Amino acid sequence: MPLPPHRHALSPHRRVPRPHRHAARRRRAAAALLACAASVSLLSASAPAVPLGIGDRLFPHLGNPGYDVLSYDLALTYSGRNDQPLQAVTTLDARITADLDRINLDFTHGTVRSVEVDGRPTAFTGAGEDLVITPRDGLGEGDVSRITVRHTSDPVAGDREGGWVRTADGLAMANQADAAHLVFPCNDHPSDKAMFTFRITAPDGHTAVANGLPAGVDRTRGATTWTYRTLHPMATELAQVSIGRSTVVHRTGPHGLPLRDVVPARHREQAEPWLARTPDQIAWMEEKAGRYPFATYGMLLADASTGFALETQTLSLFEREMFTDPALPAWYVESIMVHELAHQWFGNSVSPRTWSDLWLNEGHATWYEALYAQERGGRSLEARMKAAYRASDGWRAAGGPPAAPEPPEPGRKIGIFRPNVYSGGALVLYALREEIGRTAFERLERAWAARHRDGTAGTSDFVRLASETAGRDLTGFLHPWLYGTTTPPMPGHPEWKAAARDVPPARRPVPHAHRAGAGRE
């Protein structure tokens, strides 16, 4: 999807259009093709390459201005060892939205071997965590260009969080919030969604699964290539590739929806009772938020100690131990399954326009997690919201209000995933339901998922739709809940009190509420 209109003004590389630009490009094409491999890595001496960004308040250098990615084609070759770099080719088609002398992609933690733009070898260099590409004739507004990067993708993380997750038998991905560009070159911001094709080659004995639907299997001597394609646009942070000695379990969900779960082969039988609950959970979510928004769904059970679950689009990532640990109560496991499932509507189909809108993802997923725990597990929603209300002032002091979270600490990008956007965001939704009534609230939720399906939306859009649904302006009610430093009075519960604001000495990130066992009273 297009980035916000103001993005173009942020680029220092905008060009003044030149007459006969396309003719000049054709005249230079032959010379460009004769350039030696060494020369294409040299940057024009006109100006130093610099990392760019679209000016996101929390991640100012994430994403890049001047283009809109339409599609990614990601080809990965896995050697059979998860401590060795994968060979990769990333091809992206992009609509150019401003005349550019250079184009920046987010990419780090890999070696770039060559770059082509529209089939011609192209100069490139690195700047910060950007890959800076300099086509000989620049790129013109309105063009659609194809950029092909041959590179490695290193699964050994070093000191960075996210990207590849090394499992007991292979690899998976966890790219939230800003780690997709540790895996492949991209425009790594959720406001620029695109279609994806994955082509994964792995040795015999391994199985590869990715977001979307299968689109072919090509077996050659000693290896297999699996192809998957998305039918809906996706943010880079939601990309998922699983490579391992796995079993793929198929079943059918509501309305004939194809479901597939990826499970370590030796744990299939133990996991099956949990996997079998997904169709009913989807039906439950459809009652709340409308028709499931994608063409498939499933769970990826990674044999790794990640400490989190993640809503990667159509293939949610979980720790295998969550389904094999007898100490975890059934209501808790199921509510976390629903948390990630709810994200398919809230966060995946409707993606945040900026990272400050994260509460729209996590607040909604936490809301449906808690609601499911009440309806199916007998856990009181009101008691959970009352406890959240008591803690809310402390969360706001430690991490900012739900819709204006504080930036993460240097080197801890997942530090934006704090309780203020999880339970704090769910508390905003509870207050809104108390204010406008259940009928209007449920109508709002369905309208939100339908109106912004396959797109991006922000907090102001939610306030506007809530007001439209309620038939009155809710700005004055919602803004203190979303942006205030203290928690407003809870409608219908004047007796609820916030605790004294004890601010922790350091803002230790809580990457996901369910990482810390949210709701396990």
Side-chain angles (χ1 to χ4, degrees), residues 273-433:
W274 298 107
L275 306 179
R277 302 182 191 194
T278 298
D280 181 65
Q281 293 170 350
I282 294 175
W284 184 87
M285 272 301 305
E286 287 190 335
E287 292 176 358
K288 311 298 183 185
R291 188 78 170 248
Y292 177 75
F294 299 119
T296 186
Y297 184 65
M299 300 195 300
L300 165 58
L301 275 55
D303 207 349
S305 295
T306 60
F308 60 84
L310 187 64
E311 65 273 16
T312 40
Q313 190 162 307
T314 74
L315 187 60
S316 294
L317 175 68
F318 297 87
E319 284 183 306
R320 184 268 304 164
E321 289 183 355
M322 195 176 100
F323 302 94
T324 58
D325 183 353
L328 294 177
W331 70 265
Y332 171 73
V333 175
E334 283 207 69
S335 66
I336 300 308
M337 292 170 67
V338 169
H339 182 112
E340 305 310 332
L341 174 61
H343 271 307
Q344 306 303 314
W345 285 261
F346 302 97
N348 296 10
S349 179
V350 185
S351 298
R353 185 167 292 130
T354 73
W355 278 111
S356 295
D357 299 311
L358 178 62
W359 80 274
L360 288 165
N361 300 15
E362 300 301 348
H364 274 101
T366 304
W367 170 258
Y368 288 106
E369 167 196 327
L371 192 61
Y372 187 90
Q374 173 173 274
E375 293 188 7
R376 299 296 179 89
R379 316 297 294 188
S380 170
L381 175 68
E382 182 176 318
R384 181 166 174 173
M385 292 300 103
K386 184 177 181 180
Y389 189 90
R390 179 172 174 79
S392 179
D393 276 3
W395 293 339
R396 289 168 187 253
E406 292 187 10
E409 295 176 355
R412 299 302 304 272
K413 301 294 184 66
I414 59 173
I416 64 172
F417 295 95
R418 305 183 183 100
N420 59 329
V421 298
Y422 284 83
S423 293
L427 190 64
V428 173
L429 298 176
Y430 183 81
L432 178 60
R433 193 182 76 166

Side-chain angles (χ1 to χ4, degrees), residues 128-140:
E129 294 192 357
D130 279 13
L131 172 63
V132 184
I133 300 166
T134 308
R136 288 177 177 269
D137 296 300
L139 299 170

Side-chain angles (χ1 to χ4, degrees), residues 57 82 121 128 140 176 207 409 422 435 478 496 519 521:
R57 188 179 70 86
N82 65 5
Q176 201 175 74
T207 299
E409 295 176 355
Y422 284 83
E435 176 72 12
L478 281 171
W496 286 12
E521 298 95 342

